[in-house]
Amino acid sequence: MENSEKTEVVLLACGSFNPITNMHLRLFELAKDYMNGTGKYRVIKGIISPVGDAYKKKGLIPAHHRIIMAELATKNSKWVEVDTWESLQKEWTETAKVLRHHQEKLEASNCDHLQNSPVLERPGRKRKWTEQRQDSSKKKSTEPKTKGVPKVKLLCGSDLLESFGVPNLWKSEDINQIVADHGVICITRAGNDAQKFIYESDVLWKHRSNIHLVNEWITNDISSTKIRRALQRGQSIRYLVPDLVQEYIETHNLYTSESENRNVGVILAPLQRNTAAAKS
């Protein structure tokens, strides 16, 4: 497959990252290995997009803390970065819109690149033209071929995929747009029958070729919820989150019983919006 064209892929992970854990970072590595291993794709970048405060999830600490921790966690990564666009929106933003934002950003960047590319002047001598063609052919033979603008795909765990079935949590048109226009790379764990869930969903089954299930053979049961619980009980979280993240949490005393009660009794933003839309 070395000489065939590969589709460049950008992995986008949306979520609370409350706090970011080593497992979040592992998702990117697992997905990258899988996608590159197919011979059809080449992962060029990973994006962590923390949700904004308007999401109103129970225990969700302010976005600026979650952004800083994510930046600390990816400080030494050569390909995974943090994007603040979603977290800076005044209202909760649907995942489909976040995906579309990043896809349009890539397309605009590609257009700018093409417009700013130097135009070859008509060579004055045939020899010069021959040299340019030879140089061009050399570049083509050494550089991997790719297909147009990179595609932004949603990176998630099987719990997010299964959440598609929760009434009023997702709009049906958003689910269709995510799987049809972008695609999903889902990291599955033992005990999560994602394939069965896809089979039982008409829209997921229709676009099953655009859903990539990646087995997590080296199981890792770290979760943000368990991290917060350990912190409230005064237990160590070392080796569960990056060292810099642990230091930041301790310095700012971020996760307490008080912070865990944040947004208690408040309806989750997507449920509130979608339920209201369904009634109107």
Side-chain angles (χ1 to χ4, degrees):
M1 296 293 290
E2 288 182 1
N3 296 324
S4 62
E5 292 184 341
K6 295 182 181 180
T7 300
E8 290 186 334
V9 170
V10 173
L11 304 175
L12 174 69
C14 298
S16 300
F17 301 100
N18 188 39
I20 190 168
T21 72
N22 286 336
M23 186 56 212
H24 287 131
L25 303 176
R26 279 294 297 160
L27 293 181
F28 282 93
E29 297 296 330
L30 290 166
K32 182 180 181 182
D33 284 347
Y34 174 85
M35 295 300 282
N36 288 350
T38 64
K40 299 177 182 179
Y41 305 97
R42 184 166 72 92
V43 175
I44 60 170
K45 184 165 68 171
I47 300 174
I48 292 173
S49 179
V51 73
D53 295 336
Y55 187 51
K56 300 298 182 183
K57 187 177 183 179
K58 179 181 176 296
L60 189 67
I61 66 168
H64 71 272
H65 284 307
R66 293 181 285 112
I67 287 289
I68 291 173
M69 286 188 287
E71 289 175 340
L72 290 171
T74 56
K75 185 177 181 180
N76 296 323
S77 177
K78 295 180 180 179
W79 67 283
V80 180
E81 61 185 46
V82 182
D83 189 271
T84 62
W85 182 82
E86 181 183 359
S87 67
L88 293 175
Q89 303 306 303
K90 292 182 179 180
E91 295 185 346
W92 167 71
T93 306
E94 292 93 337
T95 299
K97 289 184 179 178
V98 181
L99 282 160
R100 189 162 64 246
H101 164 78
H102 286 284
Q103 188 63 58
E104 290 174 351
K105 189 176 178 181
L106 283 172
E107 291 169 358
S109 177
N110 187 63
C111 287
D112 290 343
H113 175 72
L114 291 175
Q115 290 175 359
N116 295 328
S117 296
V119 179
L120 285 175
E121 295 180 1
R122 181 174 294 177
R125 291 177 297 172
K126 185 176 181 180
R127 180 172 174 269
K128 184 177 180 182
W129 173 243
T130 304
E131 289 172 353
Q132 286 179 340
R133 291 193 64 182
Q134 288 175 344
D135 289 342
S136 177
S137 63
K138 287 179 181 178
K139 288 181 181 179
K140 287 181 180 179
S141 62
T142 57
E143 295 177 0
K145 296 179 180 179
T146 55
K147 299 177 183 178
V149 181
K151 294 289 294 183
V152 179
K153 294 184 178 293
L154 181 65
L155 171 62
C156 68
S158 54
D159 54 342
L160 186 144
L161 194 69
E162 293 179 3
S163 75
F164 285 164
V166 177
N168 293 323
L169 187 61
W170 298 83
K171 291 189 293 187
S172 57
E173 57 265 36
D174 281 1
I175 296 174
N176 187 76
Q177 186 180 112
I178 289 170
V179 294
D181 298 344
H182 299 281
V184 176
I185 303 168
C186 176
I187 311 299
T188 65
R189 295 179 177 181
N192 293 111
D193 197 347
Q195 190 65 57
K196 181 182 177 182
F197 183 76
I198 292 172
Y199 174 76
E200 293 175 347
S201 166
D202 289 339
V203 66
L204 297 185
W205 180 257
K206 180 181 179 181
H207 301 289
R208 62 190 182 280
S209 62
N210 214 16
I211 302 174
H212 305 271
L213 299 181
V214 183
N215 289 320
E216 180 196 353
W217 297 113
I218 305 175
T219 56
N220 187 332
D221 200 31
I222 300 173
S223 72
S224 296
T225 301
K226 292 178 180 178
I227 296 293
R228 297 198 304 275
R229 184 181 299 134
L231 287 166
Q232 289 176 57
R233 296 175 180 177
Q235 298 171 341
S236 172
I237 60 167
R238 194 170 188 191
Y239 309 121
L240 301 178
V241 301
D243 289 343
L244 291 176
V245 172
Q246 180 191 358
E247 291 173 13
Y248 186 85
I249 291 172
E250 292 174 350
T251 299
H252 297 274
N253 191 30
L254 291 184
Y255 295 103
T256 62
S257 56
E258 288 77 20
S259 71
E260 198 63 19
N261 286 323
R262 185 183 176 94
N263 295 325
V264 168
V266 179
I267 300 175
L268 202 64
L271 286 173
Q272 188 175 6
R273 184 182 298 178
N274 297 335
T275 301
K279 290 180 179 179
S280 61

